[in-house]
Amino acid sequence: MQKIWKRPRVLVLIVIAAVIFLTFQFFSLEALFHTQNKAVQVSHLNNEDRVLENVIENFNDEDSVPIELEKSNNIKVDKPIGVHDDDAHLYKAVHVKKKEMFRCLETKKLIPFSWLNDNYCDCEDSSDEPGTAACPRGRFYCTSQLPNQKAVSLPSSRVNDGICDCCDGSDEWSGEAPPQWMRHKGKNLIQQAPCQNHCNAIAQLSKENEQIRKMGQRLKKVYLQAAQTIRDKERYGPNGVFYKLSQKCFLYKSSPYEYNICPFHSVKQEHFPSERWFLGRKAVWKQKSHGQFLLQMLEGDAANCPIGKSRQSMILFLCGINDRVVDLREDEKCEYIIKFATPAAC
């Protein structure tokens, strides 16, 4: 009776082991098929496609037949995402034996046109993935570009990373928000997916800034004339252009303090009825060329500051149509940043 019971149990164990083995083999083949999908496509080409492979290996420009990209009514050229308009002609398909192909930009290798932006790097020069993060040396060009400015591009690794780098948000075309633990909290200038298109607002702001710059350049002549009779012009910037500012002080209020900024002389902080602190008494240029004007005000009061450190201010001169303090903040303990608009900086 015991032998009769054991035999079916052995058969059941053998059947279970066989099922497990076959299941394992099935999933192994499935994974192999998935990872080598493109290799399988090529290896199972028919006779006509094998001839095509030989043609591809010996292909040159004279054999190609360009396929014109479609243009809409507003003369906007259709192109793969991530490609600049000036490079759109490089992403035209070519006909080889009735097959649409793409030629890698540097290596000249030919691949099926459908492999463009398929999230798999086929070209050694990374040119087939302008709109994904698949290739290590890829560059992504924002779809919308601001007029009269250098084209904005970014490493392809920043495509669909959850951060809006392009003003139109085209680098986050998937629209997927970053995971909760990666999101920036609080008030900051970092825009996160899903992105919005801010290009028009930025272009308008840029246009307004250009108008301010042109007006400021006309007003700047008054500042240069004021410095014509002084001897030490270099102390006040190129051709003494900031000398006029040294002749007066500017009041700035930021509750609970009042600040008195006298460029090239002193910066003071007051909080009535408490004491008055000097935030700088000695002027030293940190930068005064290439349109960047940064004046340090050193040797302020040291009370309540870290040991060995005295208060100091940094005045950043910006282009504006009148003289005024735009912003003042304590960037670090006993270190102050002052943004000052003036036609002298235009």
Side-chain angles (χ1 to χ4, degrees):
M1 191 71 181
Q2 194 173 15
K3 290 183 180 180
I4 296 174
W5 165 249
K6 284 183 178 180
R7 187 172 298 170
R9 187 167 61 179
V10 170
L11 291 174
V12 169
L13 292 174
I14 292 173
V15 170
I16 292 174
V19 169
I20 293 173
F21 176 77
L22 291 174
T23 302
F24 175 78
Q25 291 295 322
F26 173 78
F27 283 108
S28 297
L29 289 172
E30 181 71 16
L32 182 63
F33 175 80
H34 179 73
T35 56
Q36 297 181 344
N37 185 38
K38 290 185 177 178
V40 171
Q41 292 180 31
V42 175
S43 63
H44 286 78
L45 294 172
N46 54 29
N47 291 334
E48 180 182 346
D49 289 334
R50 287 196 178 91
V51 173
L52 172 62
E53 284 187 294
N54 294 328
V55 173
I56 289 174
E57 290 178 0
N58 300 289
F59 182 80
N60 56 53
D61 292 341
E62 295 179 356
D63 299 323
S64 63
V65 181
I67 300 175
E68 294 296 330
L69 296 177
E70 294 182 2
K71 297 183 179 181
S72 60
N73 293 331
N74 59 359
I75 319 298
K76 196 169 185 178
V77 179
D78 185 22
K79 63 186 189 303
I81 189 169
V83 175
H84 191 272
D85 284 349
D86 293 344
D87 297 329
H89 67 284
L90 301 175
Y91 284 82
K92 292 180 180 180
V94 293
H95 266 161
V96 180
K97 298 294 183 179
K98 299 182 180 181
K99 299 287 185 178
E100 291 187 6
M101 310 297 292
F102 170 74
R103 182 170 55 248
C104 301
L105 300 188
E106 294 179 11
T107 64
K108 307 304 179 184
K109 173 185 174 182
L110 280 168
I111 61 173
F113 196 75
S114 60
W115 289 8
L116 278 177
N117 280 339
D118 67 347
N119 208 31
Y120 188 93
C121 197
D122 300 289
C123 295
E124 289 80 0
D125 58 16
S126 301
S127 59
D128 64 304
E129 296 297 315
T132 76
C135 291
R137 296 192 295 118
R139 297 293 301 182
F140 180 93
Y141 281 88
C142 302
T143 301
S144 299
Q145 298 287 344
L146 297 176
N148 304 318
Q149 294 191 23
K150 183 179 178 181
V152 177
S153 68
L154 50 135
S156 60
S157 59
R158 287 159 63 178
V159 173
N160 289 328
D161 65 350
I163 304 298
C164 308
D165 296 291
C166 298
C167 66
D168 61 353
S170 57
D171 59 301
E172 298 302 311
W173 49 263
S174 70
E176 296 181 8
Q180 191 68 36
W181 62 272
M182 288 181 61
R183 297 181 189 177
H184 295 267
K185 298 179 181 179
K187 295 181 179 179
N188 55 67
L189 298 177
I190 298 176
Q191 300 293 322
Q192 300 171 103
C195 308
Q196 296 180 344
N197 191 332
H198 299 286
C199 293
N200 289 337
I202 293 174
Q204 180 61 31
L205 182 61
S206 178
K207 183 178 179 180
E208 292 173 0
N209 287 338
E210 180 62 19
Q211 292 174 343
I212 290 174
R213 187 186 67 82
K214 290 181 178 179
M215 188 179 299
Q217 286 180 334
R218 290 197 293 267
L219 297 171
K220 185 177 181 178
K221 296 176 182 178
V222 177
Y223 294 77
L224 292 170
Q225 290 172 356
Q228 284 183 348
T229 58
I230 64 172
R231 293 182 179 179
D232 190 11
K233 289 185 180 181
E234 287 305 308
R235 181 191 174 195
Y236 302 103
N239 299 313
V241 68
F242 293 98
Y243 169 75
K244 190 172 183 290
L245 300 179
S246 71
Q247 303 303 297
K248 58 189 297 189
C249 295
F250 302 85
L251 185 66
Y252 182 80
K253 295 182 179 180
S254 179
S255 182
Y257 301 105
E258 285 189 0
Y259 298 88
N260 202 20
I261 297 99
C262 307
F264 300 95
H265 298 293
S266 66
V267 178
K268 291 174 282 189
Q269 179 193 70
E270 297 183 9
H271 182 203
F272 185 82
S274 6
E275 356 183 345
R276 178 179 64 184
W277 302 106
F278 277 91
L279 309 184
R281 295 185 180 93
K282 180 182 179 182
V284 177
W285 280 108
K286 186 174 179 67
Q287 187 172 354
K288 55 176 179 177
S289 61
H290 306 294
Q292 301 290 326
F293 303 103
L294 204 55
L295 182 70
Q296 285 183 302
M297 299 297 294
L298 307 174
E299 299 182 4
D301 293 325
N304 299 327
C305 289
I307 297 175
K309 184 175 184 178
S310 60
R311 287 176 175 80
Q312 61 175 324
S313 302
M314 194 83 74
I315 303 177
L316 174 61
F317 292 110
L318 305 170
C319 179
I321 57 176
N322 50 40
D323 299 328
R324 67 188 182 94
V325 178
V326 178
D327 184 48
L328 190 155
R329 71 177 188 273
E330 188 174 7
D331 198 41
E332 293 184 17
K333 183 69 173 177
C334 296
E335 293 186 9
Y336 301 82
I337 299 292
I338 302 168
K339 293 182 180 179
F340 194 108
T342 173
C346 294

